Amino acid sequence: MGPLESDRRFYPPPSQGGLIRRLCLALASFIVALGSIVAAQAPPVPAAPQPRFVVVLDAAHGGDDPGGKLDTQAEKAYTLSLSVKLRSLLNARGIQVVTTRESDTNVDTNRRAEIANHANAQACLSLHASQTGSGVHLFASSLAPAPPTRLPAWKTGQSAYVTRSLAMAGILNSALQHAGIAVTLGRTAMPTVDSMTCPAIAIEIAPDRAAGSTTKTGLDDPGYQASVAEAIAAAMLEWKTEAHQP
Amino acid sequence: MIARYQTILFGVLLAASVAMGIVLWQLRERAHQRLLQGQDSAPTQAPEVAPAEPATLLVANDADNSLLSQVQTLPLPKDPGARARLILGKLMDLYAAPDAAHPVPGGSSSIAQVFLLPAPGLSAGITTPSSPAKTPEASGPQLAVVNLTGAFAASHPSGLEAETLTVLSICGTLHANLPRVTQVRFLVDGQPRPTLAGHADLTRTYLATDAVPTEGAHP
């Protein structure tokens, strides 16, 4: 007795109900076969995609707005060179960077915030330089913290991110102090930062004056510049680690 | 031959002309004197010598980004607006001193005017039962509008820290001496200005409590 005869014995004799049942079985096996083919052709599903981490670097001033007057150059030139240096350091650490300007051009305050907000960044750093004070000054927005809303007001967009901005300032403070750089923390009202919808800090680099003496390490000192940039890059790497923690 | 009556008439008319000329000259002299007297008396009024009172100044220090309270004794007028202007003028004098911890040129002339207005907000119209006679304008919170001179803004050192400290020290000093001042706005030469010297926002209304040093301000 062949297999066909065995099959015939297994199935009931053909009748109207049996025919419908056989048709349903055939349809089901066709769907299962089709599903297995599609599954075999589909690419493998990645386990857990790494979230995107973007840092926005805003070199303040530019074009016909020179900013403050430093020892040997204008603030706009200093912030641009620091932005370029920081971008290299962050890229080397696998961090994606968006800059508000790449040359000596005047970018409007609102445009800077627009660039930062469209980048959907996890950190926004507004870079400044000054002859007054000592070390690095870190400023978070002075806006009061507020819960996030679907349509935040343009001038107070930062209010939903103030708490995270202060946390990021703490990490920057630790990294700079670890590098032996004096840091002062503060809050300020600055149109660019107040409109950013990301954790944002304004970083102002000043000459490093030793406490109680008139000697200072100038802004143009390459070693000082490098140590400040390295410390900021290290802080961003730590911020990235914290941001990716569940 | 001239008739006698014509001679007499000529003499009378001549005498009248001379008399009128003399009167006219005297009137002119009087008018001139009146004008001179008016010019002298218009702007000069001897100032009253106000008694010296202690005033609290929140003095900025660039070295550590701090505001330090300092009491100075000044002759202060009764009018709150004039009082605020004098106190802020003293603060600016400290900043203009050669050894200032927060050097800003300009001195007391940097503050053109200070206007005190009822503060917009919910608490402006609230009166407490213990002081029913007081109107909201007399007892409620106030908004101070500080009009800075253009020369001051132009000569102010550019920098986040320097500009922020100047703004906060003005806000804190106003609140320390006029506790009803809860909000402060800034004008430069009577006009709104985006920033003080490129950084600190001058378009927003500052709360006087912004000037209170926050926790962690000194690492």
Side-chain angles (χ1 to χ4, degrees), chain A residues 38-53:
Chain A
V38 169
Q41 287 180 347
V45 178
Q50 188 76 356
R52 190 167 149 274
F53 188 86

Side-chain angles (χ1 to χ4, degrees), chain B residues 22-43:
Chain B
I22 291 168
V23 168
L24 199 63
W25 178 261
Q26 283 180 339
L27 287 174
R28 180 191 167 279
E29 284 297 309
R30 281 182 197 169
H32 185 63
Q33 288 299 324
R34 250 199 327 271
L35 275 174
L36 287 179
Q37 282 173 359
Q39 279 177 356
D40 285 343
S41 64

